[in-house]
Amino acid sequence: RRVHGQLAYIVQLGYHVNYAWLDASPPRMGALMLSSALLYGLNVIMVTLMYVYYTKPSGCGLNVAWITVTLMFFVVFTVAIKVFPYASPLPTGLIAVYLSFLCWSALQSQPQTATYRCNSLFGSSASERWIQFLSLSFVFVTIAYTAFASGSREAGDPFDDVANDPGSLGYDPWFFHLMLVLAVCSATMSLSNWEVGKTAEQLSVDKGWASAWLKIAAQWCAALMFVWTLVAPRCTDRVYWWARDEDV
């Protein structure tokens, strides 16, 4: 039985869509090329805007480092397309956009103080509330989807005899409820800014250094996971469904 997390779903989504369009009759090459170009263009725009609105000539070195690392991920993954035949532009562009989104979300979660003010994109508190609301909505949707999908069983899975039983449940009860509990805990910590032993004077959702660093850590984990999908077919003897173009 395969157990997935939120990051694993994002990484695998690009591979699934890529092969689904390639295997279509006829192959949807136009949609594949257009989607890849849009993802690459969107990533360039996101990185550029982060450099413009979240950095300053001095005092914002941490932001510059985070954005530069995000850009390096994009460049390395693009070069990987030439090295690994299964690293097509669509999954590479999708993971690059996701990494840029995590970087932007981390930058937006940074607290703005008298000594640290690097966010010049949203100057008013009203616009910042809207960004917090949209970001938190995205978090809730992905957490809920991950909880339900992680607890479900997949018919046809050769490693899951129960899922292939016609009279079985469509999900694993104990694991399904465990994922729901973890999802609630994650949502609660997001609402409390991942702070322990500190109470905010006003409602501030998804704001603070703890939240920002957790998002950057999630970005690095997602990047490492994608790197593993690239090197695993050549470093192990297992057969991976996304590396079907690899010579054996």
Side-chain angles (χ1 to χ4, degrees):
R1 179 171 61 236
R2 293 174 294 177
V3 178
H4 305 284
Q6 177 183 349
L7 301 181
Y9 279 114
I10 297 295
V11 171
Q12 294 186 62
L13 177 61
Y15 288 116
H16 277 296
V17 175
N18 181 70
Y19 282 127
W21 286 354
L22 286 177
D23 295 337
S25 183
R28 303 179 61 182
M29 297 303 299
L32 189 62
M33 295 175 62
L34 178 61
S35 300
S36 301
L38 290 176
L39 288 172
Y40 270 71
L42 178 59
N43 190 73
V44 171
I45 293 174
M46 293 175 67
V47 172
T48 302
L49 290 178
M50 285 189 290
Y51 272 121
V52 172
Y53 291 105
Y54 291 92
T55 62
K56 293 182 178 180
S58 62
C60 299
L62 180 62
N63 290 12
V64 174
W66 286 0
I67 301 171
T68 303
V69 170
T70 302
L71 178 60
M72 291 176 60
F73 285 145
F74 177 51
V75 174
V76 171
F77 294 160
T78 301
V79 174
I81 297 177
K82 295 292 185 179
V83 181
F84 304 96
Y86 43 86
S88 62
L90 182 62
T92 302
L94 180 61
I95 190 62
V97 169
Y98 180 63
L99 296 182
S100 295
F101 168 78
L102 288 177
C103 181
W104 169 81
S105 185
L107 295 173
Q108 189 61 31
S109 294
Q110 291 178 345
Q112 302 299 302
T113 63
T115 58
Y116 192 87
R117 301 193 65 86
C118 297
N119 183 354
S120 60
L121 181 58
F122 302 102
S124 64
S125 59
S127 59
E128 187 172 341
R129 297 292 185 188
W130 273 107
I131 293 300
Q132 292 179 1
F133 172 76
L134 293 176
S135 299
L136 197 61
S137 298
F138 176 80
V139 171
F140 284 161
V141 170
T142 54
I143 288 176
Y145 173 78
T146 302
F148 280 96
S150 297
S152 64
R153 294 184 181 274
E154 299 179 8
D157 189 343
F159 300 101
D160 195 342
D161 296 332
V162 179
N164 297 319
D165 184 2
S168 66
L169 295 174
Y171 64 95
D172 190 337
W174 77 267
F175 191 72
F176 172 76
H177 288 92
L178 175 62
M179 289 296 100
L180 284 181
V181 170
L182 294 177
V184 172
C185 292
S186 178
T188 303
M189 293 304 294
S190 296
L191 288 172
S192 61
N193 296 327
W194 298 87
E195 297 287 353
V196 178
K198 182 178 180 181
T199 303
E201 296 180 358
Q202 60 179 355
L203 178 61
S204 179
V205 178
D206 199 27
K207 202 76 171 177
W209 284 111
S211 180
W213 277 108
L214 281 169
K215 292 174 181 179
I216 288 298
Q219 183 204 51
W220 296 344
C221 290
L224 290 176
M225 189 176 298
F226 185 71
V227 170
W228 174 247
T229 65
L230 297 179
V231 302
R234 296 189 177 182
C235 297
T236 64
D237 296 330
R238 294 181 56 187
V239 177
Y240 298 89
W241 62 266
W242 64 82
R244 67 184 190 184
D245 296 330
E246 180 72 2
D247 295 331
V248 295

